[in-house]
């Protein structure tokens, strides 16, 4: 159960509040018009804030199990792609799901499914393995966000739902006003990654 203080910390977005630092991108309408260090000038009482899990949260468990992650080894951001998979609509909000990809050997891909299935609060198991063209990705070396990483001949591209999906939805819906995080810049809390793990 979240304390009132924790709730305040996560929900305040004005000034130098942590969420204000995270939600620093200003969109209008569905076109990035400005990136600001503080959103106080844009915040209104009729706006709401929400947090999404991030696939970075389960990477620690993959690494602890000996599963190599190329984007980490290369010092780059994970590649992310808009897909032809539709989100479940929430009112007028709908659009294509964004996925993050990690190339893995088949045995590591199986183990990754087992490990990440225990993290349903931070994206859980992959939503697609192999053949990127089946989910609308034309060129695996041309991510929509993040950095490209090679998929070797003995590897499979493994795709997880991604917390960048809201930016994709914003581009599809074109709201009059929206503030988002920047891909790769996450909210950091004192919660340990294993606190998100479901007991199976």
């Amino acid at each position: 159960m979240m304390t009132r203080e924790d709730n305040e910390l996560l929900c305040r977005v004005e000034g130098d509040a942590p969420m204000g630092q995270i939600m620093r991108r200003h969109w209008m309408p569905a076109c990035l018009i400005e990136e600001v260090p503080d959103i106080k000038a844009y915040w209104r009482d009729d706006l709401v804030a929400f947090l999404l899990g991030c696939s970075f949260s389960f990477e620690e468990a993959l690494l602890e199990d000996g599963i190599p992650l190329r984007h980490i080894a290369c010092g780059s951001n994970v590649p992310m792609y808009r897909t032809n998979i539709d989100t479940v609509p929430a009112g007028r909000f709908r659009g294509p799901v964004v996925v993050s990809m990690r190339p893995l050997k088949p045995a590591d891909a199986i183990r990754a499914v087992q490990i990440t299935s225990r993290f349903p609060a931070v994206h859980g198991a992959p939503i697609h393995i192999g053949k990127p063209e089946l989910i609308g990705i034309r060129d695996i070396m041309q991510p929509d966000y993040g950095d490209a990483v090679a998929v070797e001949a003995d590897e499979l591209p493994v795709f997880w739902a991604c917390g960048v999906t809201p930016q994709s939805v914003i581009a599809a819906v074109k709201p009059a006003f929206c503030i988002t995080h920047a891909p790769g810049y996450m909210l950091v809390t004192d919660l340990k990654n294993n606190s998100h793990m479901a007991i199976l």
Side-chain angles (χ1 to χ4, degrees):
M1 185 73 170
M2 186 178 291
T3 67
R4 181 181 175 99
E5 292 79 21
D6 289 340
N7 187 59
E8 283 294 314
L9 178 69
L10 293 174
C11 293
R12 282 190 49 239
V13 294
E14 72 280 356
D16 63 350
M19 282 302 296
Q21 297 296 318
I22 301 276
M23 298 177 64
R24 62 191 182 88
R25 285 193 160 192
H26 172 203
W27 296 68
M28 190 181 292
C31 176
L32 180 63
I33 61 166
E34 186 176 15
E35 190 168 322
V36 297
D38 187 327
I39 63 167
K40 190 174 187 176
Y42 300 103
W43 191 255
R44 306 183 315 238
D45 289 340
D46 64 333
L47 298 176
V48 296
F50 58 93
L51 298 173
L52 300 173
C54 175
S55 62
F56 290 170
S57 298
F58 61 64
E59 289 183 338
E60 179 181 26
L62 295 175
L63 292 168
E64 284 177 356
D65 200 71
I67 297 174
L69 300 175
R70 181 149 310 119
H71 67 283
I72 292 175
C74 293
S76 61
N77 198 353
V78 68
M80 296 163 272
Y81 308 86
R82 282 187 301 274
T83 69
N84 60 11
I85 302 168
D86 291 326
T87 58
V88 175
R92 66 180 262 209
F93 292 95
R94 59 179 41 90
V97 169
V98 173
V99 293
S100 60
M101 187 278 294
R102 290 151 186 88
L104 301 173
K105 294 186 184 307
D108 287 340
I110 292 167
R111 188 68 187 127
V113 170
Q114 294 167 335
I115 292 168
T116 60
S117 292
R118 298 184 315 220
F119 292 89
V122 287
H123 302 299
I127 63 170
H128 185 77
I129 298 175
K131 299 192 181 229
E133 64 274 11
L134 294 180
I135 58 171
I137 299 171
R138 291 189 184 124
D139 185 350
I140 200 80
M141 294 306 293
Q142 295 293 321
D144 295 298
Y145 311 94
D147 302 310
V149 295
V151 178
E152 302 299 335
D154 63 343
E155 294 176 323
L156 298 168
V158 182
F159 300 93
W160 280 265
C162 181
V164 178
T165 297
Q167 279 85 333
S168 177
V169 169
I170 289 164
V173 174
K174 298 179 178 33
F177 178 82
C178 185
I179 300 169
T180 71
H181 79 293
Y185 294 86
M186 305 299 144
L187 173 70
V188 177
T189 72
D190 62 354
L191 296 174
K192 301 293 184 200
N193 287 333
N194 63 8
S195 71
H196 299 294
M197 188 169 57
I199 305 300
L200 300 177

